[in-house]
Amino acid sequence: MKRNDIIRIVGLSGYALFLVLSLALGFDPGKEIGRNFLSFSLAMLKILPGAFILIGLFEVWVKRETIEKHFGEKSGIRGYVWAILLSSTTVGGIYVAFPIAYSLYCKGARLGVIFTYLGAAAICRVPMTIFEASFLGIKFSAIRLLVSIPLVVGTSMLLGSYLAKRNYKLAAGR
Amino acid sequence: MYLYIIAGLAILASLLANRERTRSALKIAAKRFLHIFPAFLTMIILVSIILFLLPDEVISDYLGGDNIFIGVILASFLGSITFMPGFIAFPLSGILLQRGVAYMVLAAFTTTLMMVGVLTAPIEKAYFGMKVTILRNVISFFIALIVAVMIGLFFGEIF
């Protein structure tokens, strides 16, 4: 067993023990943390199975050539545009975007494009932006998008080419 | 909800096209999910503790200070280390705005909240490694600061 696994198991059992003891002894902060844990787990369970089913179907049905053509080395600027459009439809939060970005990478998307996808999934999701505009105003959302999107694309290109030069490869089989 | 309508229709279409491939798609889905599950569990545990230590009221208190620049710095750190879905973060920002908190501070808070993820780092690390996780989050932090400054400029809150 690796050292990290041991740390994880000790941490998990400590956390579980803390919750059980808090419940048994009526320790309020512990009960509060337990409630947070439950409500957040439920929120995750509402999204993750659906997202992973779509990822599975993507892996099986979408051809590697298609992804290479639209998101790969030869896609040019179009790859970035596609990444932003795709990201705007992402549900949940950036935690859903990580496995999707990983699948895109495994099918041949270039690094700059997947970092653009990740960044854009954080800031360009359509339902979230509508929500933002209704509470903070359209001007606020417009400035935020116009400033952040070029910065995300630019830094993703730089990060991608820096890592490509260093021969960075993602671990397989995640 | 519409996620499951799409996923359901996609499975149906896939089944009609090829039963065997659909089976292997679902197998891949389950395998990937189980593989990343420990990282998600770690994140949920971290979130449950941070939400207890920094509830909405505490965050509101921190953001409502007098000095706008200290507000921006505090907001960007709070946004980086907390976790809040948009349907809570934006109504909260709307309330803070009415209480007189600057747009610039709210921009720093919501943008770091969306882009910088200390709590989602366990998942990011599992897929992309430690180095990339740190690089991407540091870059995102600075992008959020630039966004905040530009919002401040356009709303006439600085100069």
Side-chain angles (χ1 to χ4, degrees):
Chain A
M1 205 166 6
K2 276 184 281 175
R3 204 188 54 162
N4 280 353
D5 291 340
I6 297 173
I7 295 173
R8 178 165 267 152
I9 288 167
V10 170
L12 268 181
S13 7
Y15 180 81
L17 190 68
F18 170 70
L19 290 191
V20 170
L21 280 179
S22 303
L23 200 63
L25 303 173
F27 182 55
D28 281 332
K31 285 203 281 194
E32 179 75 32
I33 290 174
R35 263 196 298 276
N36 290 341
F37 178 80
L38 278 184
S39 74
F40 201 64
S41 303
L42 281 177
M44 290 273 155
L45 283 179
K46 274 187 198 152
I47 290 176
L48 292 180
F52 275 89
I53 286 172
L54 290 176
I55 288 173
L57 291 169
F58 167 85
E59 291 285 340
V60 169
W61 286 108
V62 178
K63 288 201 197 79
R64 189 177 171 88
E65 298 82 64
T66 315
I67 296 301
E68 275 177 357
K69 190 173 150 215
H70 296 290
F71 295 88
E73 293 301 334
K74 294 193 183 75
S75 64
I77 202 77
R78 273 182 314 132
Y80 294 92
V81 176
W82 278 122
I84 293 171
L85 288 178
L86 181 65
S87 75
S88 66
T89 63
T90 305
V91 290
I94 196 167
Y95 54 87
V96 179
F98 293 132
I100 296 173
Y102 183 77
S103 283
L104 283 172
Y105 173 84
C106 294
K107 287 265 184 188
R110 62 203 284 199
L111 284 168
V113 170
I114 65 162
F115 291 130
T116 300
Y117 169 75
L118 279 180
I123 55 175
C124 304
R125 299 197 306 276
V126 170
M128 186 195 75
T129 307
I130 293 173
F131 215 64
E132 176 193 35
S134 54
F135 281 98
L136 294 172
I138 289 177
K139 184 181 166 192
F140 183 92
S141 297
I143 297 169
R144 187 183 61 74
L145 287 173
L146 288 175
V147 174
S148 57
I149 291 177
L151 288 172
V152 163
V153 174
T155 54
S156 298
M157 284 175 172
L158 287 176
L159 185 58
S161 60
Y162 164 78
L163 291 171
K165 259 187 226 140
R166 295 278 183 110
N167 265 326
Y168 168 81
K169 292 270 187 301
L170 292 185
R174 290 285 149 175
Chain B
M1 197 55 230
Y2 63 94
L3 173 65
Y4 283 92
I5 297 171
I6 294 170
L9 290 176
I11 291 180
L12 205 64
S14 174
L15 269 176
L16 288 176
N18 188 326
R19 210 167 254 272
E20 213 31 63
R21 275 194 165 191
T22 309
R23 189 198 301 270
S24 78
L26 293 179
K27 248 189 213 157
I28 291 173
K31 205 182 90 191
R32 294 239 171 146
F33 182 64
L34 289 178
H35 203 278
I36 202 65
F37 181 73
F40 269 102
L41 196 59
T42 309
M43 176 184 91
I44 296 173
I45 290 175
L46 292 177
V47 170
S48 74
I49 296 170
I50 286 286
L51 284 186
F52 168 74
L53 295 176
L54 291 171
D56 299 356
E57 308 87 63
V58 175
I59 291 178
S60 306
D61 287 347
Y62 276 116
L63 299 191
D66 287 332
N67 187 314
I68 194 169
F69 290 101
I70 294 177
V72 166
I73 300 296
L74 270 178
S76 47
F77 278 106
L78 281 174
S80 303
I81 59 166
T82 48
F83 189 98
M84 217 184 259
F87 62 84
I88 296 176
F90 291 116
L92 176 68
S93 303
I95 293 168
L96 291 173
L97 186 66
Q98 283 168 359
R99 282 200 214 150
V101 174
Y103 278 103
M104 198 172 146
V105 174
L106 296 175
F109 179 63
T110 56
T111 312
T112 48
L113 202 54
M114 292 184 277
M115 291 190 77
V116 185
V118 172
L119 297 181
T120 49
I123 301 172
E124 189 167 2
K125 197 187 98 197
Y127 284 113
F128 299 104
M130 191 54 137
K131 185 177 151 192
V132 169
T133 302
I134 292 174
L135 278 174
R136 200 197 62 82
N137 280 289
V138 170
I139 292 171
S140 301
F141 185 82
F142 284 104
I143 291 178
L145 284 185
I146 296 172
V147 168
V149 169
M150 294 305 278
I151 290 270
L153 279 175
F154 275 100
F155 280 90
E157 291 171 343
I158 39 179
F159 301 124

